[in-house]
Amino acid sequence: MSYLDLMKYQPLSRVLLILILLTSCKYTREAPQETTRFTHELTGEVLPWTHDHFEETETDFTFAIISDLNGGERPHIFSKAVAQLNHLDPTFVLSVGDLIDGGTTDTDQLKREWDFFDQRARALHMPFFYVGGNHDLTNKTMREFWEGRFGPRFYHFRYDDVLFLMLDSEDYTEKRMEEIYQARDTAIRILDGLMEGDYATSTYRFMPERNLGGMSEEQIAYFKEVLTQNQDVRWTFLLMHKPLWLNDDGDILQREDIPLEPLETALAGRNYTVFNGHFHRLSHRERHGMEYMILGTTGGSQRPNDSTAIDHITLVRMAEKPEILHIKMDGILESDGRINPAIDPKME
């Protein structure tokens, strides 16, 4: 029907006729293709994240990172962070380790501590991804406990065309891990007044592994293969507890090698960002033209009068490139102007 034909009808009739014509028109529209944004290659009954039910509503996405809880966890901070993260509503939450106090071979105690952490983490409305720190992976027993509860100690996943490498910086041989554990346990007993000695001259204080992590050849080979198989990603994030990219801690500890160098070589020419924790002080630097960040705390102990020792949540919006913000928890206020008074549940 032409425009002139349509104008022959009265106004009301024209409206009715247009409605009839529109509803009778046949048109086709391609159904949106269903895509899985989150992919991984892990198998097994236990996995190192809480669940995989994402809120997939936008083309870009935002994820958050929490830092150290331990080295002396201060109560209620992590529970507040969980409440604040639920308000901020990132797509998922990552970690950089030291989630429990640990440092024991008592599996009943380990279960209580992990149950307490998980009880709070389960209150998150979005998935949470685990990374182990020295408090979480102190000895062989704790390593086995982790693997039984969460699966692999290092792994990767993709979300859209972004790759996440979740590293284990406590990846020593069993012999070396036992040496570190025994020296650490002695040092802690000295500091707690349970045995005589001087921490300043203790073996553990001078062990490079106290602040500088390690990676096995197996782990390096694994991530090299991951990078080979994922060359189409537009960005890669590396998360670890101890700084595998440093050969000194800025104090007394030094080593000749940098464990992360083989992966940095494999990452040459790609866009990537590195996050770690352990030092409980927020800092930023550039290495190989990329950003490397040491996060502060999300409940862990802090040095008095240190302006970089802050409780914060790191928020990353993955647009064309990552937009990274470190948000102080004491600046996230409820509508009434108060900080969420979230209180820790009782340890089960």
Side-chain angles (χ1 to χ4, degrees):
M1 178 178 290
S2 69
Y3 174 78
L4 292 176
D5 291 334
L6 184 61
M7 293 306 294
K8 294 176 183 178
Y9 292 88
Q10 295 298 316
L12 181 59
S13 299
R14 286 203 299 271
V15 172
L16 293 173
L17 185 58
I18 289 170
L19 290 173
I20 292 170
L21 289 170
L22 287 173
T23 55
S24 64
C25 288
K26 294 183 178 180
Y27 65 94
T28 59
R29 178 182 176 184
E30 285 190 15
Q33 293 184 347
E34 292 188 5
T35 59
T36 302
R37 300 178 71 176
F38 170 68
T39 57
H40 64 89
E41 298 175 0
L42 301 185
T43 59
E45 295 182 0
V46 292
L47 295 168
W49 51 80
T50 50
H51 62 88
D52 57 3
H53 307 300
F54 298 95
E55 182 183 2
E56 299 179 344
T57 58
E58 298 178 346
T59 54
D60 60 355
F61 64 93
T62 299
F63 64 91
I65 310 172
I66 65 159
S67 191
D68 299 41
L69 273 69
N70 262 288
E73 181 177 357
R74 290 168 290 123
H76 315 309
I77 304 298
F78 179 57
S79 291
K80 289 184 177 67
V82 168
Q84 292 173 344
L85 285 164
N86 284 338
H87 284 309
L88 294 170
D89 195 31
T91 305
F92 50 89
V93 180
L94 309 179
S95 60
V96 291
D98 274 9
L99 307 178
I100 65 169
D101 188 45
T104 180
T105 57
D106 183 342
T107 55
D108 290 335
Q109 178 63 20
L110 290 174
K111 183 179 185 304
R112 282 192 294 271
E113 292 185 15
W114 278 118
D115 285 349
F116 180 53
F117 176 83
D118 289 342
Q119 185 180 3
R120 294 173 291 171
R122 281 195 299 266
L124 287 167
H125 297 166
M126 64 291 298
F128 174 82
F129 291 77
Y130 296 80
V131 162
N134 57 301
H135 278 265
D136 313 311
L137 298 167
T138 314
N139 52 50
K140 183 174 181 289
T141 300
M142 293 184 69
R143 182 182 280 181
E144 292 171 350
F145 193 96
W146 173 287
E147 291 170 343
R149 185 163 180 136
F150 303 120
R153 292 176 284 111
F154 53 87
Y155 60 99
H156 77 283
F157 67 91
R158 285 179 62 146
Y159 194 86
D160 283 348
D161 54 357
V162 179
L163 178 64
F164 294 84
L165 308 184
M166 315 296 274
L167 283 67
D168 173 17
S169 64
E170 302 303 302
D171 195 11
Y172 314 110
T173 65
E174 288 188 7
K175 180 177 182 293
R176 186 57 177 166
M177 173 169 268
E178 181 64 18
E179 292 170 351
I180 298 167
Y181 170 57
Q182 293 298 336
R184 179 181 184 272
D185 186 63
T186 298
I188 291 173
R189 289 176 181 275
I190 292 171
L191 289 171
D192 290 345
L194 299 177
M195 64 180 295
E196 293 184 359
D198 180 11
Y199 173 75
T201 59
S202 66
T203 301
Y204 184 63
R205 183 168 182 262
F206 294 95
M207 280 184 164
E209 293 92 344
R210 179 166 63 85
N211 280 337
L212 305 170
M215 294 177 75
S216 65
E217 290 298 325
E218 177 190 1
Q219 183 175 178
I220 293 170
Y222 169 82
F223 283 119
K224 279 185 174 181
E225 180 63 21
V226 168
L227 291 173
T228 299
Q229 297 298 324
N230 292 272
Q231 298 188 40
D232 59 329
V233 297
R234 61 190 171 104
W235 213 276
T236 300
F237 291 96
L238 292 83
L239 290 97
M240 66 201 74
H241 183 64
K242 289 177 183 171
L244 294 166
W245 47 276
L246 286 178
N247 62 352
D248 70 82
D249 71 344
D251 189 11
I252 63 172
L253 302 180
Q254 295 183 351
R255 61 182 172 189
E256 294 182 0
D257 66 319
I258 295 178
L260 196 64
E261 277 189 339
L263 294 187
E264 290 176 316
T265 299
L267 284 161
R270 301 190 189 203
N271 293 316
Y272 68 91
T273 306
V274 176
F275 295 99
N276 72 269
H278 188 64
F279 287 168
H280 295 206
R281 302 190 304 275
L282 181 64
S283 66
H284 171 283
R285 70 195 71 185
E286 195 171 284
R287 178 176 163 87
H288 303 308
M290 299 296 160
E291 289 188 293
Y292 285 61
M293 276 158 273
I294 300 177
L295 305 184
T297 56
T298 313
S301 61
Q302 297 178 341
R303 293 185 179 183
N305 305 317
D306 186 343
S307 62
T308 65
I310 58 172
D311 288 314
H312 69 96
I313 293 165
T314 297
L315 207 62
V316 183
R317 187 171 77 84
M318 194 61 228
E320 181 179 351
K321 62 180 182 178
E323 298 181 7
I324 303 169
L325 294 174
H326 304 294
I327 305 173
K328 288 185 177 182
M329 289 178 58
D330 60 9
I332 305 175
L333 308 180
E334 299 287 302
S335 60
D336 60 5
R338 295 183 299 173
I339 296 176
N340 191 299
I343 303 297
D344 290 338
K346 292 183 179 180
M347 185 179 287
E348 296 176 347

